[in-house]
Amino acid sequence: MLHKLIKPFIGLCILGITYSIGNKIYLYYTHNKAPIVTIDGLKVDGYYKGSTEGKLVANNPYKIATTEAVLDGKPFAGIPSKMGSRKFSHAFTINTEQLEDGEHTLTVLSTDASRRANTSDVSITFNVDNKALAASFVETNYRIDQGKTAHIKIQTNKQVAKITLKTLNKVFSCTPCTPTSFSYECFIPIDCEDAPMQYDIAAEVTDHVGQSLKLSGSLEIIQFNFPKQRGFSVDSEKLSAEKEISTKDQVLQEALDRWAKESLKQKQWYGKFELPIQVRRITTPFGEVRITPERGRYMHRGVDLVNMPRSIVWAAQNGKIIIKDRFAMSGNTVAIDHGLGIVTLYFHLDSFTDIEVGDPIKKGQPIGKVGMTGYANGYHLHWELRVNGTAVDPMEWTETIY
Ligand SMILES: [Zn+2]
């Protein structure tokens, strides 16, 4: 009975072994896929310090015979050259202290054990940052008039991941002065109604490997005696007519708030800002205190510039058109984003040139003509400059290179 079963069993075994060997031989001759090998644990363009762990991982249909690891063009001994299996996860260590700070590339060439010796390579570029972080304010104590801009600079000993500044109960972030600079800057608007007193500036500098430093400085706001004006009024019939044909003023504020958050992350301007018309007279300076029947007491948060009716108005600096619309108060309005939260506004235009929201615009490029649309009782350009949503004296930006 038993021997009757043994014979077919042996037969099946021989068949199985033959099939398996045949299949292996077949695969050996025909396998033609590049090996699937990955480097895990290191992030592309990531930053590392000290001893850094990574893994070479394979999950390949065919056995990997050898790997050849190269770090910055030189053989890397942390990964063995003989592998001999289809699946592996080989941990390796890079001692970054033996490397210079900066960019490095690890490349691994893998070859499988098939007759074709298929190959693939995988590489990863990462950064080493072993330098102890150092940073300081270029100036520690700032004294700034109400309505002006505080330009705060911090110097570091390398490129860092993030610098935040806290002052006036707000949080600001600094950006590098040029893309590769170790100098970082931040523009802090001083509202014309910010209380004149001393405020702390708390800065936190964080590098790419998580080290951080805290710096402290101070900001003293100096009281500025803004001029006073009385008796300004706009014909009420004109105002109600403006309201009928215009987009609601609230829409302008909402759009500006939204754009303040979406401002271009890089400085679009260079040099000073230019006055946007040829100025004959400045009829109302920045910060003038007004009392009007429509608005009560308020401060004039721009400058009123006068030339002939319908003279050309141009962009004060390079940027992007973010608003082009008609509003009851500001009339025909253009807003330009210059990056880093700096926006200029042009009110009461008679007409627009051929510009659209989203268009890039160059300093000096015409955007419209001087008018008296909106809350205006004569032809003039109301020009405003806002820093992170707060209007500051734009004249300072035409005199200073930021
Ligand atoms: Zn004005």
Side-chain angles (χ1 to χ4, degrees), residues 38-55:
T38 54
I39 299 170
D40 287 2
L42 289 175
K43 281 196 197 113
V44 176
D45 297 330
Y47 283 77
Y48 299 94
K49 63 172 177 175
S51 222
T52 296
E53 307 278 311
K55 265 184 196 166

Side-chain angles (χ1 to χ4, degrees), residues 300 304 380 382:
H300 183 246
D304 286 349
H380 74 283
H382 172 101

